[in-house]
Amino acid sequence: MTHIAIIGECMIELNGAPFGNMLQSYGGDTLNAAIYLNRSLNKQGVAFSDVRTSYVTALGTDSISQEMTRRWQNEGISTDLVLSDPKRSPGLYLIQLDDEGERTFLYWRNDSAARYIVQHPEFTDVMTQLDNADMVFFSGISLAILPDADRVELLAKIDKLRNNGVKTAFDSNYRPKLWQSIATTQEAYLLAYQATDIALVTFDDEQLIWQDKTPQDTIARLHKLGVQIVVVKMGSEGCLISENPNQDPVSIPTTPVTNVVDTTSAGDSFNGGFLARYLTGGSVAQACQHGNALAGSVIQHHGAIIPQSVTDTLSTLIEKSTHANY
């Protein structure tokens, strides 16, 4: 059985107009990726028993935390590595959308259980269990929410896992409001990339953080830091991949989407689709095409996690991309 552990935070989601109709749900970048990963596996005809997806986080003991856990289990996600913090609860975020489907976030997460996961008395035991995982995936938000010392400790543990043979994947997913400064972000991301085998990054983020002029600049910089596989996501332009710094990057186009409703989970669903195909033996190019197809469908619906009934209807597009040859 292939085992991937995904580290991060899930929050209560409010989606809608302030003082108007609000839809309550839940979401978080890495949790969204975990759900779309499992749904993609189902579309590939891979039983959840063949790939174990574990979510690593901390929640409270309140009723909302319990309901979140139950819903993740219904998605086939293992919650054995979810820690309980009786003193804290999940964070909360509000999504506001403009007419083009672009989103603005407001957060309330300073005292969330996930923020203090590294200080949890059982956290070291959880990370020890990950020695037996095949892959660990984390993001820039997984790092940004942590106190400085905790962030360094988590990255040291991830680096140790990599040295022990566990594959590591990282999405830089940059949210400026979560960081003290660009310098702080750069310091953390340098450590993250040095502990990363597969980088799934967005070019707009890399430009903001590092002032890269082209996606090729991003690829060259990440390879120099020791990243083996670099995937640069470029929205409607698809993505650019590099598995060898001595060869030209390969462009993987995507089908243009004219009916963009909500881009909240575009990158997350790409990550989920990519990881599902990669973990089941697909090439990096096939994994990217799968991610492109899934993200293109997800952004035509509202919410970070679209209904299961909707993803069940996406099989034709995703199946075609899954079996494409590159």
Side-chain angles (χ1 to χ4, degrees):
M1 177 190 295
T2 301
H3 181 202
I4 178 171
I6 298 180
I7 302 173
E9 177 186 33
C10 182
M11 305 174 70
I12 303 164
E13 175 189 297
L14 295 178
N15 195 329
F19 304 108
N21 294 326
M22 284 281 180
L23 175 65
Q24 178 182 312
S25 185
Y26 62 90
D29 66 331
T30 54
L31 188 278
N32 303 340
I35 287 177
Y36 287 118
L37 188 163
N38 269 20
R39 291 185 184 180
S40 295
L41 291 175
N42 195 34
K43 286 299 138 195
Q44 291 185 51
V46 178
F48 290 148
S49 59
D50 295 334
V51 178
R52 177 188 173 196
T53 304
S54 296
Y55 198 56
V56 180
T57 192
L59 291 175
T61 56
D62 54 275
S63 59
I64 292 180
S65 295
Q66 294 171 11
E67 179 63 17
M68 279 186 183
T69 302
R70 186 188 67 80
R71 293 193 182 194
W72 302 348
Q73 292 168 346
N74 289 343
E75 294 279 358
I77 295 172
S78 171
T79 58
D80 294 348
L81 303 180
V82 175
L83 298 175
S84 294
D85 185 341
K87 297 181 180 179
R88 298 183 174 91
S89 58
L92 180 148
Y93 69 97
L94 168 66
I95 302 175
Q96 298 178 74
L97 298 173
D98 64 20
D99 293 337
E100 283 73 42
E102 290 300 324
R103 73 274 196 217
T104 301
F105 294 89
L106 296 174
Y107 297 99
W108 295 266
R109 73 194 326 163
N110 287 340
D111 199 40
S112 71
R115 174 172 166 79
Y116 295 96
I117 185 174
V118 175
Q119 299 176 28
H120 195 286
E122 299 176 30
F123 179 71
T124 297
D125 293 338
V126 166
M127 295 303 290
T128 299
Q129 292 183 57
L130 297 188
D131 278 328
N132 297 316
D134 296 285
M135 179 179 285
V136 169
F137 174 67
F138 64 110
S139 76
I141 294 179
S142 305
L143 302 178
I145 65 170
L146 301 176
D148 292 346
D150 293 2
R151 184 184 306 130
V152 172
E153 182 176 346
L154 174 61
L155 287 168
K157 291 182 182 299
I158 291 173
D159 189 47
K160 182 179 178 181
L161 289 172
R162 187 194 192 196
N163 291 334
N164 289 341
V166 179
K167 283 279 187 182
T168 56
F170 175 64
D171 177 1
S172 56
N173 203 6
Y174 177 53
R175 296 289 182 269
K177 291 182 179 179
L178 298 181
W179 292 93
Q180 297 174 359
S181 65
I182 285 286
T184 302
T185 308
Q186 290 176 334
E187 181 180 357
Y189 281 22
L190 280 174
L191 293 175
Y193 286 129
Q194 289 166 359
T196 293
D197 293 307
I198 303 172
L200 304 170
V201 304
T202 301
F203 181 57
D204 288 347
D205 290 345
E206 299 303 302
Q207 280 187 304
L208 287 172
I209 301 169
W210 305 101
Q211 293 77 54
D212 291 347
K213 294 183 179 180
T214 68
Q216 288 79 2
D217 292 338
T218 299
I219 289 170
R221 176 171 49 79
L222 296 185
H223 276 314
K224 287 181 181 178
L225 291 172
V227 179
Q228 297 173 7
I229 297 172
V230 182
V231 176
V232 182
K233 294 173 280 187
M234 299 182 294
S236 62
E237 297 179 41
C239 55
L240 203 61
I241 62 176
S242 176
E243 301 177 68
N244 187 330
N246 298 318
Q247 297 178 357
D248 290 336
V250 176
S251 176
I252 306 296
T254 190
T255 302
V257 175
T258 58
N259 182 35
V260 177
V261 173
D262 185 349
T263 60
T264 298
S265 203
D268 307 339
S269 55
F270 175 94
N271 292 342
F274 175 96
L275 292 169
R277 188 70 185 104
Y278 184 81
L279 289 170
T280 52
S283 67
V284 175
Q286 288 173 324
C288 286
Q289 189 68 13
H290 191 117
N292 282 342
L294 182 57
S297 298
V298 167
I299 63 176
Q300 298 179 60
H301 302 85
H302 286 290
I305 301 170
I306 66 177
Q308 179 81 54
S309 59
V310 176
T311 53
D312 284 347
T313 67
L314 306 180
S315 58
T316 301
L317 179 60
I318 294 174
E319 291 276 349
K320 286 181 179 178
S321 69
T322 297
H323 298 292
N325 293 316
Y326 292 92

